[in-house]
Amino acid sequence: MALQHEPTTPHHWAQDALRVLETVARHPAGVTGTQLSRRTGLTRERLTPLLGMLSREGYVEQSADGPYVTGRALARLGAARGREEALREQLQRTLERLRDAVGAAVYLSRYVDGEVRVTQYADGPGAPRVNEWVDFRSAAHATAIGKSLLTQLDQAGRRDHLARHRTARLTSRTITSDRLLLSRLAAQPPTVPVLDLQEYAVGTVCAAVPVTAGAAVGCLALSLPVAHAHRLRRAADALNRGAAPVLLSLAI
């Protein structure tokens, strides 16, 4: 008999993690892994890595005798006061872990009031941030960040954005045709990372994956020096796999 594969996209991971958190929260005295598996319907093979991720993020804690209880990070995000600051700090810690895991600068971006905004990033000596030589708000057509955000809009929203921001040539690889760009955005599979192969800046390659929570449009992205372009697709896949904690933080 063929085995049924459980979904493994970041959105499915985040949904399953929320189910686990809701179950833990209903048991203030703690709940064991076996009980969690039974009450969430998740297999132990599925549950074990989820609990590992939730523990790393501080959403659950395991007491000495085994049961899981809610963690301090969840308590901080659930508090009425200081939630925005707690969310920002939580996301920053997650971005720093992703930076170290993928070996590249990592960015969190949103599409807010019709504009591209990089809200947070994590870089370092071995993971340099891209030089924003043209404002990202004016370069959505040329960046992985911008294209990932635009793919999440409907056709009218994309046309509106391009009507307000000219598709200027930034490098020899930049797409300057609105028609070609719209065609490529429409054909972009939602589960495949969007790439920027020196379209925004010579010497830099980037990738981005969507992180949509509710009605908010967002994405995670990374950048690498072109000398490391051979790592781009592998790093993009790792970024996609690591997006679940970001989605989870935004959804709580």
Side-chain angles (χ1 to χ4, degrees):
M1 181 175 65
L3 292 175
Q4 182 178 359
H5 293 285
E6 295 179 335
T8 56
T9 68
H11 283 84
H12 283 119
W13 269 84
Q15 289 169 1
D16 286 349
L18 279 173
R19 287 164 61 192
V20 174
L21 282 179
E22 289 166 356
T23 304
V24 174
R26 287 197 297 266
H27 297 80
V31 57
T32 66
T34 300
Q35 291 170 327
L36 279 171
S37 180
R38 185 168 60 249
R39 291 169 187 176
T40 60
L42 297 171
T43 64
R44 291 305 297 267
E45 291 76 16
R46 178 74 164 177
L47 184 61
T48 298
L50 278 170
L51 286 170
M53 181 266 284
L54 291 170
S55 297
R56 285 192 300 274
E57 297 294 320
Y59 289 130
V60 300
E61 296 173 1
Q62 188 173 22
S63 55
D65 57 353
Y68 291 90
V69 297
T70 55
R72 284 171 289 182
L74 185 63
R76 289 194 65 202
L77 288 184
R81 293 184 59 184
R83 185 187 183 284
E84 288 301 316
E85 183 61 26
L87 176 59
R88 184 172 183 83
E89 291 175 359
Q90 182 72 19
L91 288 170
Q92 190 62 36
R93 287 191 291 270
T94 302
L95 293 179
E96 289 168 2
R97 279 193 285 271
L98 281 172
R99 173 201 62 199
D100 296 341
V102 303
V106 176
Y107 314 77
L108 178 62
S109 302
R110 307 279 189 85
Y111 194 75
V112 182
D113 297 329
E115 300 295 347
V116 173
R117 301 185 188 278
V118 176
T119 54
Q120 288 179 246
Y121 65 89
D123 62 353
R129 182 163 53 108
V130 66
N131 174 33
E132 190 178 349
W133 74 285
V134 174
D135 193 319
F136 286 147
R137 291 175 297 180
S138 303
H141 65 293
T143 63
I145 286 172
K147 288 186 288 183
S148 179
L149 295 174
L150 291 177
T151 61
Q152 298 174 62
L153 305 181
D154 58 20
Q155 190 75 344
R158 296 168 191 165
R159 289 186 180 278
D160 172 73
H161 185 92
L162 296 179
R164 292 182 289 107
H165 296 285
R166 186 171 62 90
T167 51
R169 185 177 299 281
L170 305 183
T171 76
S172 63
R173 295 174 177 263
T174 306
I175 297 174
T176 57
S177 163
D178 286 7
R179 179 180 296 180
L180 177 58
L181 180 62
L182 287 168
S183 174
R184 292 197 177 177
L185 292 174
Q188 174 70 31
T191 58
V192 176
V194 178
L195 303 182
D196 157 20
L197 304 177
Q198 301 189 85
E199 296 171 50
Y200 172 74
V202 174
T204 301
V205 294
C206 306
V209 296
V211 286
T212 304
V217 172
C219 74
L220 270 176
L222 63 84
S223 65
L224 287 167
V226 71
H228 294 267
H230 61 283
R231 294 202 294 116
L232 182 62
R233 290 187 183 276
R234 186 169 68 251
D237 288 341
L239 184 73
N240 198 22
R241 291 193 301 271
V246 175
L247 283 164
L248 181 61
S249 296
L250 295 173
I252 291 174

